[in-house]
Amino acid sequence: MAAINILLKEQMRTINQTVYVPWRQLGAVAFALCLAGAMPVQSQAADVTLNESGSTLLYPLFKIWVENYTAAHPGVNISTDATGSEAGIKKAIAGEAQIGASDVFMSDRQARENPLILNIPLCISAQMVNYNLPDLNSEKLKLDGTVLAGIYSGTIRDWDAAPIAALNPDLKLPHQTIIPVRRADGSGDTYIFTQFLSFADSKWSDAHGSGMTIAWPSVPGILEATSNEGVVQTVQKTPYSLGYVGVSYTKEAADAGLGTALLKNQAGKFLLPTKDAVLAAATGLGTRTPTDERLTIVLAPGENAYPLISYEYAIVSTKQSDPAIADAIRRFLTWSIVPSETNEGYLDTVHFIPLPTQIWALSEAQIQSIK
């Protein structure tokens, strides 16, 4: 245990942050530090610039990380840009960004064609379904994947349609046309949401499938919006609409007066994306997640598991153009996932949760392969 404590102190000095590591996590921390060679203490190279681009769901967290990290590490500059997960992956592959932020891992084809590109989970997020039902936004509206597939395919057109009414017998639903809102840009949020629809409804899966961009059904009145912020704004100004939004925009959705649907999980329970429900969904991921960490976790099993969750990924090349750049990436990403009260506080701000212990170790091992 003395040796573990020495390694921990070395690591904490390296990232220049006082952190608290729960004793229950010491084994995983020591394991990851051994993989990292304990990262000898040295000053961070000056005048290093990193570019991050991608997920709008991750963008609020990256802004927090970058502000705090660069304040404590003079000479390290990090730009961050919300371009969407699809763009983040493409920019990382092309070398236009050192860190591509994505709500989804690279496809099998992309992984085969780009074997030097890593998919590194940094944390776990969730997705909401928000709606604008005048006089009902404060009520507990229940929806499931089959109903949502019907709404986005155009087979369920009205808010008081029988499938929605059956899930909500205590609500007086209006006889108004539903206006679905979808993302216009290539989005990890779209991938997560359409996976949920595909898993719940075989007709949707066969006809439309899932992806960051898909051939959406032609539904009269359907609206498009760019970014999570754009979806919130579009739903806010459109009565009787609904859309899918990353949980990091919880405050924005609440400020807009939107309702958040309770979604049906694999066990048949209707849940909101609370921290406890997301933590319940993360249980067991250590045994399911492969070493390359490419794993869909939508509809994770569990009695109290929220159904719409995902790993949030840093898409990074193992081969960087400059050793100083590689060192800066390793240090920043390690700093961002080190188990600590401070880091958990950053995640709480955007309603994300930290990686489970075993996943933390896998991500740290991937980070240390960046050269």
Side-chain angles (χ1 to χ4, degrees):
M1 186 63 73
I4 291 174
N5 286 333
I6 291 171
L7 290 177
L8 286 172
K9 290 176 182 177
E10 289 279 301
Q11 179 70 349
M12 295 310 104
R13 284 197 294 268
T14 300
I15 64 173
N16 193 28
Q17 178 187 11
T18 302
V19 299
Y20 163 78
V21 181
W23 285 103
R24 67 180 181 275
Q25 295 179 332
L26 281 175
V29 173
F31 169 70
L33 291 178
C34 288
L35 289 174
M39 290 180 67
V41 179
Q42 59 184 13
S43 61
Q44 170 71 56
D47 300 321
V48 173
T49 297
L50 303 179
N51 297 314
E52 176 276 323
S53 181
S55 165
T56 66
L57 174 54
L58 262 173
Y59 180 65
L61 178 59
F62 262 104
K63 286 201 299 183
I64 294 169
W65 278 344
V66 167
E67 179 183 354
N68 286 276
Y69 187 81
T70 55
H73 297 76
V76 181
N77 303 295
I78 306 174
S79 66
T80 184
D81 191 16
T83 57
S85 294
E86 186 174 61
I89 292 174
K90 289 180 178 178
K91 286 177 180 289
I93 291 173
E96 297 172 8
Q98 284 76 40
I99 301 171
S102 179
D103 315 320
V104 60
F105 50 84
M106 293 192 305
S107 68
D108 290 343
R109 179 185 59 79
Q110 287 174 322
R112 286 194 303 270
E113 294 175 355
N114 302 279
L116 295 180
I117 305 295
L118 304 171
N119 303 261
I120 308 171
L122 303 178
C123 52
I124 294 174
S125 72
Q127 193 177 80
M128 310 175 287
V129 172
N130 293 119
Y131 56 90
N132 184 353
L133 278 174
D135 302 323
L136 291 177
N137 285 347
S138 62
E139 300 295 333
K140 295 181 178 179
L141 178 74
K142 297 177 181 178
L143 297 172
D144 62 19
T146 303
V147 163
L148 287 167
I151 291 171
Y152 277 85
S153 66
T155 60
I156 296 176
R157 297 300 314 281
D158 300 316
W159 277 108
D160 61 349
I164 303 177
L167 298 178
N168 299 276
D170 297 329
L171 295 184
K172 184 174 177 55
L173 297 165
H175 185 63
Q176 295 285 344
T177 300
I178 303 168
I179 303 173
V181 179
R182 64 175 178 85
R183 288 284 288 272
D185 48 333
S187 165
D189 290 286
T190 295
Y191 183 89
I192 296 163
F193 183 69
T194 54
Q195 274 206 326
F196 181 53
L197 303 189
S198 294
F199 293 165
D201 188 275
S202 60
K203 291 182 180 179
W204 178 279
S205 179
D206 293 341
H208 313 294
S210 60
M212 289 184 282
T213 56
I214 68 165
W216 288 92
S218 179
V219 178
I222 192 168
L223 299 176
E224 291 184 339
T226 298
S227 79
N228 277 292
E229 184 177 14
V231 174
V232 171
Q233 292 171 351
T234 301
V235 175
Q236 179 187 24
K237 68 184 181 183
T238 311
Y240 306 107
S241 65
L242 89 166
Y244 52 94
V245 178
V247 76
S248 56
Y249 288 80
T250 295
K251 183 180 184 301
E252 287 80 358
D255 290 346
L258 304 181
T260 300
L262 289 83
L263 299 183
K264 187 178 180 180
N265 70 4
Q266 219 176 46
K269 293 187 69 172
F270 290 88
L271 299 169
L272 290 169
T274 63
K275 185 174 183 178
D276 285 345
V278 177
L279 283 168
T283 301
L285 290 178
T287 57
R288 295 173 52 209
T289 304
T291 54
D292 69 359
E293 300 187 273
R294 296 170 62 241
L295 179 71
T296 294
I297 54 179
V298 169
L299 273 179
E303 178 75 14
N304 298 303
Y306 185 72
L308 270 177
I309 71 165
S310 64
Y311 283 136
E312 291 300 316
Y313 288 92
I315 310 299
V316 182
S317 175
T318 59
K319 187 176 182 180
Q320 295 296 319
S321 60
D322 186 317
I325 294 292
D327 182 66
I329 295 171
R330 288 195 305 270
R331 290 172 181 276
F332 171 64
L333 293 181
T334 295
W335 173 91
S336 71
I337 66 170
V338 163
S340 72
E341 287 182 330
T342 299
N343 283 354
E344 189 164 350
Y346 296 152
L347 296 175
D348 281 343
T349 302
V350 291
H351 306 280
F352 291 1
I353 66 168
L355 298 173
T357 302
Q358 286 177 280
I359 310 307
W360 185 91
L362 291 175
S363 289
E364 177 65 6
Q366 288 210 82
I367 290 169
Q368 294 311 314
S369 71
I370 300 168
K371 304 297 181 185

